[in-house]
Amino acid sequence: MRRILLVDDEINVLNALVRAIRQHIEIPDLQIETFSDPFDALTRCAEVTFDLVISDYRMPQMTGVEFLHAIMEVAPDTVRMILSASTEFETVMSAINEAQVFRFIPKPWQVGDLRENIRLALEYRDTLHEQHQLADRQRVHDGTLSREELAIRKMEEEEPGLLKVNWGPNGEIIM
């Protein structure tokens, strides 16, 4: 299953993006989630792993670069792209340098470019995932990572926060 997160303060842009992706990009078992509030989107990223995040650059709560930088901290393997009407060189450079943005998509976007950039982003995500798996297998082979630790990593990757326990002041588990 593939998960894409879209973040833009304009609902019409979110709806247009979802429509463009659904109509022009064939991805089996695709789940798209949209947020107009970047703080809600960050909260969701702590709960679920996304393959790709596409964020608007200009939002009232925070810039897209700030948002994607936070995503980088919460979900470093999520591929990040930024969508903006701004073509200022400094905007593009700050997105690339600060949030390690994979692609910068201009508004209004061309469906063919959007499709190709999403395809490339998902390929890149697969490559990152494969590299992590190979590195983990090598660590198990070398003895620097136990099979149990590897299983825990896989569970956390599939369901972030699954193994986190919230303890109360008297030692009770808080649900």
Side-chain angles (χ1 to χ4, degrees), residues 55-105:
S55 173
D56 184 25
Y57 177 74
R58 295 199 196 285
M59 296 182 285
Q61 300 94 332
M62 68 173 71
T63 69
V65 172
E66 293 168 335
F67 170 72
L68 292 175
H69 192 282
I71 289 289
M72 195 170 69
E73 299 296 319
V74 174
D77 292 338
T78 298
V79 179
R80 297 164 298 281
M81 295 195 324
I82 203 154
L83 185 68
S84 179
S86 173
T87 55
E88 295 174 13
F89 182 73
E90 287 185 25
T91 300
V92 174
M93 289 310 295
S94 84
I96 292 168
N97 292 334
E98 292 176 38
Q100 297 177 4
V101 170
F102 180 75
R103 289 286 191 274
F104 187 93
I105 303 169

Side-chain angles (χ1 to χ4, degrees), residues 95-125:
I96 292 168
N97 292 334
E98 292 176 38
Q100 297 177 4
V101 170
F102 180 75
R103 289 286 191 274
F104 187 93
I105 303 169
K107 282 183 184 177
W109 61 84
Q110 300 296 316
V111 173
D113 289 341
L114 181 66
R115 178 178 48 236
E116 182 64 9
N117 284 319
I118 289 175
R119 184 189 67 76
L120 290 170
L122 294 176
E123 280 181 9
Y124 180 65
R125 170 72 165 107

Side-chain angles (χ1 to χ4, degrees), residues 28-81:
D29 296 326
L30 175 63
Q31 287 190 350
I32 301 173
E33 294 189 34
T34 61
F35 287 89
S36 57
D37 183 328
F39 293 105
D40 292 342
L42 281 171
T43 300
R44 183 66 175 149
C45 283
E47 301 167 350
V48 175
T49 301
F50 288 94
D51 297 298
L52 172 63
V53 174
I54 302 174
S55 173
D56 184 25
Y57 177 74
R58 295 199 196 285
M59 296 182 285
Q61 300 94 332
M62 68 173 71
T63 69
V65 172
E66 293 168 335
F67 170 72
L68 292 175
H69 192 282
I71 289 289
M72 195 170 69
E73 299 296 319
V74 174
D77 292 338
T78 298
V79 179
R80 297 164 298 281
M81 295 195 324

Side-chain angles (χ1 to χ4, degrees), residues 131-141 145 150 153-154 157:
Q131 288 173 349
H132 288 299
Q133 286 181 326
L134 288 171
D136 283 345
R137 276 187 279 201
Q138 186 62 43
R139 287 184 196 101
V140 168
H141 182 269
L145 181 69
L150 181 60
R153 283 185 184 188
K154 286 182 181 180
E157 182 179 306

